[in-house]
Amino acid sequence: MSNNTPAIKEDRILIIDYGSQYSQLIARRVREAGVFCEMYPYDIDTSRIEEFGAKGVILSGGPESVHDENSPKINQALFDLNVPILGICYGMQAMADHFGGKVQASDVQEFGASTIEVTGSSVLLDGIAGEKENRLDVWMSHGDKVVEAPEGFDVIASTPSCPIAVMVNEDKKYYGLQFHPEVTHTLQGDVLLSRFVHQVCECAGSWTPDNIIDMRVEQLKQQIGDKQVLLGLSGGVDSSVVAALLHKAIGDQLTCVFVDNGLLRLHEGDQVMQVFAENMGVKVIRVDAEDRFLTALAGEADPEAKRKIIGKTFIDVFADAARDVSQGSDGKPVEFLAQGTIYPDVIESAKSHQGKAHVIKSHHNVGGLPDDLQFELVEPLRDLFKDEVRKLGIALGLPHKMIYRHPFPGPGLGVRILGEVKKEYADILRQADAIFMQELERSGWYEKTAQAFAVFTPVKSVGVVGDGRRYAWVIALRAVETIDFMTARFAHLPYELIETVSNRIMNEIAEVSRVTYDVSSKPPATIEWE
């Protein structure tokens, strides 16, 4: 660990990822407990393990079997650190195998809710079973199981089909859990992980929004000095928090470029200007580029091609604006470009470079700028998860409605208008989406759904208005419930709510004759339609 590591990062947990779909949840739970952590793939170099300076290690679950050829193994260097280690699911099995225990395929695989019976004592489990004495509701997801614990380990919990649900070696502070404490389905799972990082690893709880802001402001001042910074402000959570953080750190040295591509939600451009330029005093240049984007998109119906066109056009528009402001207000050239990169982007990028991730959809950011625009990057959120970014936004004084707004795709309405994008379609969709959001908020369902939006379908349907025939467009509504956005089920909105939204859209938007509700879950569907 570097001597320059800020104090709130000194107590740190290393998470080793064996490919579990829940790995990022482990890191988020540790952060929620007020402890800094980072996640690295299982084949991380030994030198990086030693340099990290962990006060504890967590081994994630994973899809492999320890008996598979080329299955991930535990690097002995982790045990040489002489710090507490917690193995979860595959992490427990790999630890058992490493120390001479026995792992075998289970006759009864466990996927879903289960209840463990606690039969022994450990700092991790003592007193957290709640009303169900000696029992704890957990979430299992495994095919293999440990059938013989290694020497020195005690078995302290089991299920009828899994005789070793928890094993512990209190002397060495090694712990193995067959279940997943990081998911919300494991009751008291957050307490269990908090006990590991605080009581077992003896980490303080210094990783808090206020401390993170203080640390980051000081780092930004040191990195930037008296130089100028340019930020592409989209109005989304990440870029908004970056803008607020930079403004707090360097004030007028920040210039934001807000590209209005004509594919934003209703009145969104005006709202961005009001929050940042009018209320916060941030320098924001608004570029009206609707015609440029729509012209570039004309005639294109393929979703991936539309994403690439929108991304490239954004870069071109941003680059033109950047040249116009290449000299700061004090006459100094702009030397830094700020971006809203967050920690999941870093993790996925690392996986991609190792060939361990697949691209489902392309994403655009301020990348690939022309050679005549050479900036040093400023990425103040690159070690934060989305929920941490939101907490920072609130602590920085940004409006709750802006920070906790449902996710909005980078290409905006360009991928919520199916097929070719036209201004007429975007205007219709903006109105329909605004009605949907209004009714969700009025009914209290906005906070209950993770993401909701309207979709413009290039399909016309016959309708009846008064005594007349209406042949107009079909709007689809989409709302989902999810924790991690990797899986999601459609939100079971009340029929009365859907009916109200449908009636309002058809009555208030003459160009719409029919409204449908999407009942697809992810997988096999994706959350967005394109």
Side-chain angles (χ1 to χ4, degrees), residues 152-315:
F153 283 79
D154 296 321
V155 177
I156 66 165
S158 64
T159 73
S161 60
C162 183
I164 305 179
V166 180
M167 64 179 197
V168 303
N169 184 327
E170 295 286 5
D171 290 337
K172 292 186 175 294
K173 296 185 179 179
Y174 296 159
Y175 305 86
L177 309 176
Q178 188 54 71
F179 58 90
H180 290 269
E182 68 272 24
V183 302
T184 55
H185 304 80
T186 294
L187 302 185
Q188 306 277 19
D190 55 342
V191 176
L192 191 155
L193 287 171
S194 179
R195 285 189 178 185
F196 177 72
V197 299
H198 291 304
Q199 294 177 232
V200 178
C201 300
E202 299 182 349
C203 293
S206 302
W207 188 254
T208 64
D210 287 341
N211 286 343
I212 295 170
I213 290 171
D214 291 343
M215 173 190 71
R216 199 63 82 226
V217 165
E218 184 60 33
Q219 290 174 332
L220 288 170
K221 288 179 177 178
Q222 292 180 7
Q223 180 184 5
I224 298 166
D226 61 353
K227 297 181 173 63
Q228 299 289 319
V229 180
L230 190 65
L231 167 67
L233 179 63
S234 69
V237 175
D238 301 334
S239 68
S240 295
V241 173
V242 170
L245 197 55
L246 281 166
H247 185 65
K248 181 178 178 66
I250 61 172
D252 289 343
Q253 293 168 237
L254 170 67
T255 300
C256 296
V257 173
F258 171 54
V259 177
D260 189 340
N261 59 12
L263 301 171
L264 302 175
R265 291 166 285 198
L266 190 66
H267 305 314
E268 188 165 13
D270 295 338
Q271 292 165 0
V272 169
M273 295 303 294
Q274 182 181 30
V275 169
F276 289 97
E278 298 174 24
N279 295 346
M280 296 180 62
V282 178
K283 287 191 297 182
V284 183
I285 297 171
R286 182 174 183 174
V287 182
D288 183 359
E290 179 182 56
D291 290 344
R292 191 165 171 180
F293 277 85
L294 292 178
T295 299
L297 287 165
E300 184 56 67
D302 179 74
E304 191 64 12
K306 288 193 297 183
R307 286 175 177 270
K308 286 183 167 61
I309 289 170
I310 292 169
K312 181 182 183 304
T313 305
F314 178 83
I315 290 171

Side-chain angles (χ1 to χ4, degrees), residues 324-448:
D324 292 340
V325 296
S326 59
Q327 296 293 323
S329 58
D330 59 358
K332 295 182 179 179
V334 176
E335 297 186 29
F336 290 92
L337 174 67
Q339 292 199 144
T341 307
I342 62 176
Y343 195 42
D345 300 332
V346 176
I347 294 171
E348 291 306 315
S349 176
K351 286 184 179 179
S352 179
H353 292 156
Q354 296 161 349
K356 297 176 181 176
H358 299 279
V359 176
I360 306 301
K361 299 174 184 174
S362 64
H363 298 266
H364 85 286
N365 206 330
V366 188
L369 288 170
D371 290 339
D372 66 323
L373 291 171
Q374 295 293 328
F375 298 110
E376 182 179 338
L377 276 183
V378 177
E379 297 176 309
L381 308 179
R382 68 176 285 114
D383 58 358
L384 300 178
F385 287 100
K386 188 71 136 190
D387 44 354
E388 294 177 299
V389 173
R390 288 195 170 101
K391 291 175 183 175
L392 253 63
I394 296 298
L396 286 163
L398 292 175
H400 185 277
K401 188 173 182 178
M402 169 182 280
I403 293 302
Y404 283 93
R405 202 172 192 179
H406 287 180
F408 191 60
L413 300 183
V415 290
R416 290 181 178 174
I417 297 170
L418 306 189
E420 185 180 5
V421 178
K422 297 182 179 180
K423 178 174 171 52
E424 169 200 351
Y425 302 164
D427 289 341
I428 293 170
L429 181 55
R430 260 188 283 273
Q431 295 177 66
D433 189 77
I435 290 170
F436 190 21
M437 296 308 106
Q438 289 166 11
E439 293 302 330
L440 285 173
E441 290 174 352
R442 184 174 292 127
S443 64
W445 272 90
Y446 188 86
E447 298 291 339
K448 297 177 186 177

